Amino acid sequence: MTEPGPEGSYCPPLGERPLTAGEAERTARMFKALGDPVRLRLFSAIASHEDGEACVCDISDVGVSQPTVSHHLKKLKDAGLLTSQRRGTWVYYRVEPSVLAAMGRLLAPAG
């Protein structure tokens, strides 16, 4: 049995069986969000940050303005890839716990 992936989905490795329409929709939304270089850099910065969590103040140096960083972080949250928590004046982002494992399982060879 496969484990929950993004947004609680159950996605098997791509080589195991064809994805259902719902699985394909959720998976496409995740990869579409990561298909932008700025979003991929932000996601990577958060995932690799100490404790897997980063303050927006620590990851905003990606070559775009702060409003654009906020826009990209919202897209990653909307795709189910990140969670956030406001602490005082700063927002801290964390990679959704099941996301990295789900992405690894999805791309792993079947069997």
Side-chain angles (χ1 to χ4, degrees), residues 41-81:
R41 287 184 66 203
L42 289 167
F43 184 79
S44 173
I46 296 165
S48 64
H49 205 268
E50 187 176 328
D51 298 327
E53 177 181 75
C55 174
V56 70
C57 60
D58 294 330
I59 58 169
S60 59
D61 186 21
V62 291
V64 295
S65 68
Q66 181 56 49
T68 303
V69 168
S70 295
H71 165 78
H72 287 301
L73 289 169
K74 181 182 182 327
K75 292 289 190 181
L76 290 168
K77 277 186 64 175
D78 290 348
L81 298 170

Side-chain angles (χ1 to χ4, degrees), residues 5 7 15 24 28 66 68 79 84 103 109:
E7 300 178 9
Q66 181 56 49
T68 303
S84 66
M103 288 174 17

